Amino acid sequence: MSKIHVTTTVNGEPAEFLCQPGNSLLDALRDDLNLTGSKEGCSSGDCGACSVIVDGRLVCSCLMLAVEAEGKSITTIEGIANGDVLHPLQRKFLEHAALQCGFCTPGFLVAAKALLDHNPDPTETEARYWLAGNLCRCTGYDKIIRAVLDAAAEMRAGAPAGE
Amino acid sequence: MTFIGNKSDLKVVGTRPVRPDGVDKVTGRATFGADYTMPGMLMGRVKRSPHAHARIVSIDASKALALPGVKGVVTAADFPDIPSEEAFVGEGPMNFRDLSLNCIARGKVLYEGHAVAAVCAISDEVAAAACDLIDVTYEVLPHVIDVEAAMAPDAPLLHADMFTANVTPKPEKPSNIAKKVHFTVGDVAAGFAQADVIVEGHYSTQPVHQAYIEPHACIASAGADGQCHIISSSQGHFMIRAYVAKLLGMEMSNLKVTPAEIGGGFGGKTVVYLEPLALAMARKTGRPVKMVMTREDVFRATGPTSGAVIDVKLGATKDGIITAAQAVLKYQAGAFAGSPVQPGCMCAFAMYDLKNVDVVGYDVVSNRPKVAAYRAPGAPIASFAAESAVDDLARKLGMDPIALREKNAAKAGTKTAYGVTFAEIGYEQVLAAAKNHPHWKAPLGPNQGRGIATGFWFNIGGESSASVFINEDGSVNVVSGSPDIGGSRASMAMMAAEVLGIPVEHVRPIVADTASIGFTHVTGGSRVTYATGMATVQAAENVIEQLKTRAAMIWDIPPEAVEWKDGQAVPAGANAGGFDPLPLAAIALKAAKTGGPIGAEVSLNAQGAGPGFGAHICDVEVDKETGHVTVLRYTAVQDVGRAIHPSYVEGQIQGGAVQGIGWALNEEYVYNTKGLMDNAGFLDYRVPVASDLPMIEAVMVEVPNPRHPFGVRGVGEVPIVPPMAAVANAIRGALGIRMHALPMSPPKLRAAVDSGVG
Ligand code: FES
Ligand code: FES
């Protein structure tokens, strides 16, 4: 079967790739664009390790067809930091030790960024429900939730990102 | 050298620096098993059994091989037929023949998902299509799933040559009972005769999976000269080397294994599944082969831990002295022998100082995936039963459950039922911390209950290697052979920095491949911070001796006249001479002139890891209409010896507790009548998510382990031991009903509310 040519934007840069009609966006990101920061934990939409933001919406990239990326703007974990300046969420994850193995971490960071983009002042409960689509088997979520709430507080206080 | 006594003198140990691999992990740069590629790489897939138990009549791969893009197929015929031989490189004993048969079935398939063939092709799509084209003809055999059914005399037999070990006389007939274990002290009959109060319970649990979020993944390549390389995500690359070399009949020196970052293991990545298949196909085709499991494969074909049926009986005097403890534990091993029933038997009552104990265990095979280690293997389910019974005992005696435990607590000098006498342990301190925690006295609302349960794990030491190198600019590399599954590089760097007296930022830790550092046992059993940490500390101490010698040469005074203080060499006293201190960097700069590079490697076999104890307090609210249990508050107290990086110790405690909460409330393997798993995905096998949980308060008690230079005890296993009973005891408090079967899921709770029995 001949491949389909897709033109899209990834982390603010133009990107193009060839894919099979059945390929997921996750496959395209990982295998064709070499953006292996997005992880595959289940390929059924249940773990959130593959989370990306597409035109402002949080999606599981394993559930979106690669061809659907045509003309869209996609943010992956590789696009969260500003050059070598970490996003406050990334910095707070490190400070709070909100990762152990780190396999779920890219998905959590992308999902948490989408949360704070929508709601800069989430309650603990709101953060827990927003992040309920992301599985972490190592941390018990405690430090992840603390890191997200702390990053939100810092961003609200207007501290320069990534100082 | 020991650093235990004076915690206030420690500058690095006990602080919370950002971990050295942290930035890579928050930016997506860290490379896990599935992130690697190699030039010319093929993709491999496994053809798996659709039956729980069947004879393989024939395998015909001709159609698959004819598919364009398919490069090779392997079956058991491509692997040596390995004789029975015990191996000890993983976590717990493993028989090489069973391992080989588990990686690729020979003659019979023993569970749904059992690998029968593997295929490699130019893409994953082609490999998947080729898998479908492999024709396997089966003769389906009767199967058995449940442990007690498998023990029945007329049960379908998995292995015609399995005769129960440790029974005399040797059984005349084979059975599914691989082994019996028995620990006894004193006289339980006499103990029960002295008891004023007796409680009994019949408990059951289901297998649960470690459910690491990263599926197994590896890439293997083979040169025409026989030199092979595997990159894989595992808890022990030396384990991978040993197992793969054995299964493929290779010399170990011809196989290098590089550890990828590992996305969780919890014991489940202490064995091989894909690696032997990938390397066999790489050798056959001359091209690198990458293999990645699907989540379904992970559930169906890799090891969960055992489910069990457990009977417990306890007797006590009316003032709360336990006079006898008895248990029978029947553990599922999966398709091959080797459940963790032995540690289960050892841990069941290890928290208590008991005169009369009798524990019997059975290791039972059935048509399920072979179990693998899972955090404190065997202990959590034994403790679920034993600590539920202790709670019943406290209620029957009208005693506070902490007071009952204090009365019977194991302490230094207590001899366990399995023969070991405890040295310094912290169980009493853990109980005291739980009793004094505000959580224990906080008020409860309607339909709410509070439970407490305690747990024990041995912790282990074992073989580890680490080296410390001083670079020319005075920065330091620490190299170890232990895959880092939860922050161990941070703790190695911190211990080395502490010993050397330098800031941790100047120490860069890495995990080296099997050709670059001495043998190191798997990351498991809570051994790495203890044993690999000990090797790191000794290597750093060796380096300090060298640095002192170099300083002595520079100053032209005897080495004994030099001391190491705060990262620099100083004259030992006024008589040594009036030299200015020589910082590490200054000595490093002159290394070439004073004898060459400075560094040391230490390989050791660490003995006597300090046992760990924990106590968990759990509050729940039960919705009687739906049977749903909400965990309202959770406090986990644990003796950690000494926390090197407290955040990661807390993380271990919180993560273990939450895995235990999932085990208690939701997680289970569900089988249909055909012996096939019905819930092989995260939608139906429900692990806890953030919205299920409150914050988990981790309380660290520090009773230093005298055998480790910093007092370290393993911390990773203990926290998964108490939760199931803590939750069950809380539900008992809320409902007045003792739940006997895990998971305590809504349908079971609803039924218990209706019938009044759990
Ligand atoms: S890989 Fe997409 S949700 Fe799990
Ligand atoms: S840190 Fe390991 S899964 Fe979240």
Side-chain angles (χ1 to χ4, degrees):
Chain A
M1 198 182 305
S2 65
K3 291 192 169 183
I4 301 163
H5 180 247
V6 176
T7 308
T8 183
T9 302
V10 179
N11 300 327
E13 305 268 339
E16 52 186 323
F17 55 82
L18 295 173
C19 67
Q20 307 276 1
N23 282 3
S24 69
L25 174 60
L26 179 61
D27 292 335
L29 290 171
R30 288 179 55 83
D31 300 339
D32 299 306
L33 298 176
N34 287 321
L35 293 170
T36 53
S38 303
K39 302 300 176 199
E40 180 167 319
C42 68
S43 77
S44 56
D46 299 313
C47 78
C50 63
S51 299
V52 298
I53 297 172
V54 180
D55 286 351
R57 273 188 68 191
L58 177 64
V59 302
C60 293
S61 61
C62 70
L63 290 185
M64 182 170 150
L65 291 173
V67 292
E68 293 179 286
E70 178 72 36
K72 299 270 190 343
S73 175
I74 297 162
T75 304
T76 71
I77 182 64
E78 289 90 348
I80 301 284
N82 184 1
D84 61 359
V85 180
L86 297 181
H87 187 279
L89 277 164
Q90 293 171 311
R91 210 157 21 77
K92 290 299 176 189
F93 264 58
L94 293 175
E95 283 170 21
H96 285 267
L99 55 144
Q100 282 173 34
C101 76
F103 192 79
C104 69
T105 309
F108 267 100
L109 285 165
V110 170
K113 179 174 186 306
L115 165 64
L116 301 189
D117 288 348
H118 282 78
N119 177 2
D121 190 9
T123 63
E124 181 191 329
T125 305
E126 285 169 338
R128 285 186 180 277
Y129 276 89
W130 183 280
L131 296 173
N134 291 77
L135 300 181
C136 174
R137 193 58 160 172
C138 298
T139 64
Y141 305 102
D142 182 301
K143 293 182 189 301
I144 292 177
I145 299 297
R146 286 178 202 277
V148 171
L149 296 178
D150 192 13
E154 183 187 290
M155 288 165 74
R156 284 196 309 279
E163 66 187 343
Chain B
M1 206 185 297
T2 172
F3 304 84
I4 292 179
N6 36 358
K7 187 176 176 184
S8 55
D9 294 348
L10 298 174
K11 296 201 172 65
V12 182
V13 166
T15 64
R16 300 175 187 245
V18 165
R19 62 196 265 176
D21 54 321
V23 171
D24 277 357
K25 286 185 170 160
V26 298
T27 55
R29 188 165 168 257
T31 38
F32 292 83
D35 299 337
Y36 285 87
T37 55
M38 286 186 189
M41 177 180 92
L42 303 172
M43 293 300 296
R45 281 258 182 167
V46 177
K47 174 87 174 174
R48 298 185 181 280
S49 166
H51 303 295
H53 195 192
R55 195 169 310 286
I56 302 171
V57 178
S58 65
I59 303 175
D60 179 359
S62 55
K63 274 189 257 159
L65 285 165
L67 188 70
V70 173
K71 299 294 173 190
V73 171
V74 291
T75 66
D78 294 279
F79 294 81
D81 195 352
I82 299 205
S84 179
E85 179 190 335
E86 291 300 322
F88 289 94
V89 259
E91 194 170 357
M94 165 67 82
N95 186 294
F96 278 128
R97 188 191 56 163
D98 291 349
L99 182 67
S100 171
L101 293 177
N102 195 38
C103 285
I104 192 129
R106 190 182 290 274
K108 276 218 300 189
V109 288
L110 296 167
Y111 56 93
E112 182 208 16
H114 199 165
V116 289
V119 53
C120 59
I122 53 164
S123 73
D124 197 37
E125 288 84 7
V126 176
C131 249
D132 291 342
L133 291 174
I134 299 176
D135 265 330
V136 186
T137 310
Y138 295 99
E139 176 199 335
V140 177
L141 302 170
H143 66 271
V144 61
I145 294 292
D146 290 328
V147 63
E148 287 188 313
M151 293 172 79
D154 56 348
L157 265 192
L158 273 75
H159 306 280
D161 59 350
M162 181 171 282
F163 293 85
T164 309
N166 289 351
V167 290
T168 38
K170 182 184 170 188
E172 281 162 20
K173 279 180 24 189
S175 76
N176 293 322
I177 306 170
K179 181 172 85 167
K180 181 181 177 184
V181 294
H182 190 189
F183 294 104
T184 190
V185 281
D187 177 350
V188 280
F192 284 119
Q194 290 162 19
D196 300 310
V197 170
I198 287 176
V199 295
E200 286 181 77
H202 178 73
Y203 296 89
S204 68
T205 79
Q206 298 302 321
V208 296
H209 200 276
Q210 301 81 353
Y212 28 80
I213 309 299
E214 180 204 26
H216 299 252
C218 70
I219 182 165
S221 75
D225 57 356
Q227 293 300 306
C228 299
H229 185 202
I230 293 175
I231 305 174
S232 104
S233 157
S234 83
Q235 285 173 250
H237 41 307
F238 288 91
M239 170 277 297
I240 302 273
R241 183 181 70 172
Y243 284 170
V244 173
K246 185 76 181 184
L247 264 49
L248 267 54
M250 300 171 62
E251 194 173 291
M252 283 189 196
S253 59
N254 292 335
L255 174 57
K256 179 173 89 170
V257 183
T258 300
E261 292 294 338
I262 166 174
F266 315 110
K269 290 179 183 165
T270 55
V271 282
V272 291
Y273 299 101
L274 299 176
E275 290 86 353
L277 308 180
L279 187 56
M281 293 195 288
R283 288 166 103 193
K284 203 165 179 170
T285 60
R287 288 172 66 171
V289 175
K290 177 170 167 175
M291 298 183 84
V292 182
M293 280 198 195
T294 64
R295 178 56 52 184
E296 230 188 287
D297 289 349
V298 173
F299 275 115
R300 288 192 210 278
T302 72
T305 188
S306 306
V309 171
I310 302 173
D311 288 283
V312 185
K313 183 176 173 187
L314 295 175
T317 60
K318 56 183 178 309
D319 47 1
I321 303 296
I322 299 175
T323 53
Q326 190 170 30
V328 178
L329 299 86
K330 299 162 184 165
Y331 275 36
Q332 297 163 355
F336 299 93
S339 76
V341 69
Q342 180 141 343
C345 291
M346 292 158 88
C347 291
F349 302 117
M351 289 83 82
Y352 304 109
D353 189 346
L354 303 173
K355 296 222 161 44
N356 306 300
V357 183
D358 189 80
V359 186
V360 174
Y362 297 95
D363 181 27
V364 184
V365 298
S366 63
N367 295 111
R368 296 169 174 271
K370 161 84 172 82
V371 300
Y374 182 16
R375 258 187 150 137
I381 49 184
S383 286
F384 163 60
E387 289 289 282
S388 294
V390 170
D391 196 66
D392 283 347
L393 191 61
R395 284 172 192 280
K396 213 161 172 181
L397 289 163
M399 270 182 88
D400 175 272
I402 296 183
L404 173 62
R405 288 179 171 89
E406 284 176 327
K407 269 216 155 139
N408 297 282
K411 45 186 101 42
T414 294
K415 187 162 188 228
T416 60
Y418 56 90
V420 163
T421 300
F422 286 135
E424 285 79 355
I425 57 169
Y427 187 52
E428 289 182 303
Q429 290 88 332
V430 163
L431 289 174
K435 188 166 69 178
N436 295 326
H437 194 282
H439 184 174
W440 186 239
K441 300 265 157 56
L444 287 166
N447 297 318
Q448 297 181 358
R450 174 167 302 140
I452 185 164
T454 63
F456 158 82
W457 182 250
F458 318 88
N459 296 323
I460 58 170
E463 293 163 276
S464 278
S465 302
S467 54
V468 173
F469 297 109
I470 309 295
N471 300 324
E472 303 92 290
D473 62 356
S475 63
V476 176
N477 283 113
V478 172
V479 183
S480 93
S482 293
D484 179 355
I485 59 174
S488 62
R489 269 168 293 194
S491 61
M492 295 310 138
M494 290 171 73
M495 285 187 267
E498 185 74 59
V499 175
L500 292 169
I502 60 173
V504 70
E505 294 73 36
H506 294 314
V507 182
R508 195 70 206 169
I510 68 148
V511 184
D513 64 62
T514 52
S516 308
I517 186 90
F519 177 82
T520 301
H521 200 73
V522 293
T523 297
S526 286
R527 61 173 292 281
V528 168
T529 314
Y530 180 72
T532 310
M534 197 182 278
T536 302
V537 167
Q538 289 184 13
E541 288 171 347
N542 181 312
V543 161
I544 288 177
E545 289 311 310
Q546 297 178 40
L547 289 164
K548 282 161 50 181
T549 306
R550 303 303 177 92
M553 286 172 77
I554 293 167
W555 287 333
D556 197 17
I557 60 174
E560 311 81 68
V562 180
E563 271 180 6
W564 191 257
K565 243 181 151 166
D566 297 331
Q568 33 192 20
V570 293
N575 293 344
F579 304 103
D580 285 342
L582 265 178
L584 192 152
I587 302 172
L589 198 62
K590 294 200 171 129
K593 295 203 185 81
T594 55
I598 301 168
E601 176 166 343
V602 170
S603 291
L604 50 70
N605 190 351
Q607 303 298 319
F613 292 85
H616 291 195
I617 309 169
C618 173
D619 291 358
V620 300
E621 181 168 316
V622 182
D623 181 333
K624 289 187 184 162
E625 255 172 69
T626 62
H628 183 261
V629 175
T630 305
V631 177
L632 299 171
R633 184 171 180 183
Y634 203 97
T635 304
V637 184
Q638 189 173 322
D639 172 19
V640 302
R642 169 134 314 144
I644 301 296
H645 192 308
S647 297
Y648 287 99
V649 173
E650 290 163 1
Q652 288 292 321
I653 296 172
Q654 292 163 335
V658 166
Q659 285 181 320
I661 291 170
W663 200 335
L665 292 175
N666 283 309
E667 296 179 33
E668 62 178 319
Y669 269 52
V670 178
Y671 279 86
N672 64 24
T673 52
K674 293 196 178 110
L676 311 180
M677 187 185 179
D678 265 346
N679 61 333
F682 279 137
L683 191 59
D684 300 311
Y685 181 99
R686 196 175 179 291
V687 305
V689 300
S691 55
D692 295 338
L693 297 159
M695 292 296 182
I696 306 293
E697 187 178 344
V699 179
M700 294 179 286
V701 172
E702 293 194 324
V703 180
N705 173 12
R707 298 186 189 88
H708 185 278
F710 290 114
V712 162
R713 294 177 196 273
V715 296
E717 325 274 308
V718 174
I720 204 170
V721 182
M724 285 70 94
V727 174
N729 295 344
I731 292 173
R732 170 69 182 77
L735 278 185
I737 298 171
R738 165 63 56 200
M739 297 300 291
H740 291 94
L742 295 183
M744 297 174 283
S745 53
K748 286 209 196 95
L749 262 280
R750 272 294 306 144
V753 169
D754 285 346
S755 67
V757 286

